Amino acid sequence: MTDSTTSIEQTPTEPEPSDSLKAFGAAHKAFRRRAGYTQEQYAPLVRYQPGTVASIEQGRRFPPRVFVERAEQVLDAFGVLQGVYKHATREKGLASWFRQWAELEEQAISLYTFENRLVPGLLQTEAYARTLFRDRVPMLSDSEIEAQVTARLERQSLLRERPNTAFSFITEEHVILRQTGGAEVMREQIGHILEVAAARNVEFQVMPMSRGNHAGTDGPIQLLETPDNEWFAYCEGQENSQFITDAKKISVLHMRCAKLRSQALTPEDTRSLLEQMRGAL
């Protein structure tokens, strides 16, 4: 991939059609059955969880490229799955502008997130996410809200299915203090963060309000590392986003993330603060 920064217009209120994903799922299911595998027998062969296989076959989850490649080999699919995959579009609720990043996210061995607006999507509870989509402007229909919430929760399977991926999250303290959705929603959200952050491969830090300035004032940052040790970045704005492959720009974002980790509370101090904040609600 050539070095570049790609600006992407966002249209998150118009979910992508899922017919092509259903077609891929049906084709995959047919080849799997032809090979004589149940989902439970097949999943270890492609190194994914049975639940992921089920989601892909139901057309609810976009198949990672590596999944398709492994499926072709295991099922001897004559190139059919790769052919159908070329025409696949992202499932309802996850917009097309996010597709390129989401594909890489599925394979990442390191994923770093700094967020100063809201709880990172991978850590949101259903109630918190529903509040965000319910209050979005312009308003979403009930079916659009359901599609968005479902897609967000589906992405969170990364935390369960990739125990060898290093996840690092840094969030501004005011994001927690805002009490999005009310005290009960935020109490549940804090508890969920504490539970997820207890995993050995997940690190969560709070940037305290007492720190007057820090390295992330330009906005949210997401960085990931692929199994081939390539790094990519993603930065999101109001009506556009940037998918970044330029090595120099990624180096700058790396430096900012490193500085942010040193400026934020330690994971241990963060846990203590979150427990205090939850108790105060």
Side-chain angles (χ1 to χ4, degrees):
M1 186 178 293
T2 56
D3 287 350
S4 64
T5 300
T6 304
S7 293
I8 311 166
E9 292 297 317
Q10 297 181 17
T11 54
T13 60
E14 300 178 4
E16 289 289 295
S18 61
D19 288 350
S20 59
L21 284 189
K22 290 179 181 178
F24 178 88
H28 182 276
K29 184 176 182 179
F31 276 106
R32 175 179 58 77
R33 286 184 167 179
R34 169 180 169 271
Y37 297 120
T38 66
Q39 290 177 344
E40 289 72 18
Q41 293 169 333
Y42 172 73
L45 301 178
V46 288
R47 286 174 275 171
Y48 279 85
Q49 296 295 318
T52 301
V53 175
S55 293
I56 289 172
E57 290 189 345
Q58 293 164 9
R60 295 189 294 110
R61 183 167 181 175
F62 195 91
R65 184 176 288 106
V66 67
F67 176 93
V68 179
E69 293 171 352
R70 292 171 186 168
E72 278 284 352
Q73 294 178 353
V74 172
L75 301 177
D76 192 20
F78 313 110
V80 172
L81 294 178
Q82 288 181 324
V84 178
Y85 176 75
K86 291 179 182 178
H87 302 285
T89 54
R90 175 60 64 175
E91 72 268 27
K92 291 182 179 180
L94 202 52
S96 57
W97 52 264
F98 197 66
R99 173 178 171 176
Q100 193 170 17
W101 177 261
E103 288 181 0
L104 290 168
E105 197 177 51
E106 296 271 6
Q107 310 168 42
I109 61 174
S110 300
L111 187 62
Y112 302 157
T113 301
F114 166 70
E115 183 57 76
N116 60 358
R117 307 162 305 167
L118 40 76
V119 173
L122 287 176
L123 299 177
Q124 291 174 11
T125 63
E126 179 177 349
Y128 185 95
R130 192 174 297 280
T131 297
L132 296 178
F133 291 125
R134 185 192 64 209
D135 296 339
R136 176 165 285 177
V137 178
M139 293 180 62
L140 302 179
S141 68
D142 289 346
S143 61
E144 287 173 330
I145 291 173
E146 290 304 317
Q148 296 278 9
V149 170
T150 298
R152 180 149 299 180
L153 297 180
E154 279 284 327
R155 277 185 62 225
Q156 295 178 1
S157 63
L158 291 173
L159 291 164
R160 300 187 298 272
E161 296 175 2
R162 301 197 62 83
N164 295 323
T165 296
F167 294 93
S168 174
F169 300 95
I170 302 173
T171 303
E172 294 270 19
E173 182 180 359
H174 68 76
V175 169
I176 311 297
L177 292 172
R178 184 175 292 132
Q179 295 190 27
T180 299
E184 187 59 38
V185 169
M186 206 63 220
R187 187 182 299 112
E188 179 190 26
Q189 178 63 73
I190 294 173
H192 181 64
I193 291 172
L194 289 168
E195 180 181 350
V196 173
R200 290 188 298 114
N201 64 318
V202 179
E203 188 175 78
F204 185 84
Q205 295 175 261
V206 163
M207 182 65 69
M209 292 178 64
S210 59
R211 181 170 289 280
N213 193 25
H214 57 70
T217 53
D218 283 351
I221 301 171
Q222 291 195 67
L223 284 169
L224 66 75
E225 180 185 12
T226 71
D228 296 324
N229 305 117
E230 292 182 282
W231 284 90
F232 298 93
Y234 174 78
C235 298
E236 187 175 307
Q238 280 281 340
E239 291 298 326
N240 60 79
S241 299
Q242 288 187 329
F243 178 77
I244 303 171
T245 62
D246 183 273
K248 291 183 179 178
K249 293 180 179 179
I250 289 173
S251 177
V252 170
L253 295 176
H254 255 299
M255 288 190 288
R256 290 178 183 172
C257 280
K259 189 67 173 178
L260 285 165
R261 285 196 294 273
S262 70
Q263 293 173 323
L265 298 178
T266 66
E268 294 76 19
D269 289 343
T270 292
R271 174 169 288 275
S272 296
L273 176 62
L274 290 177
E275 289 172 346
Q276 293 172 18
M277 295 170 78
R278 181 175 58 174
L281 291 173

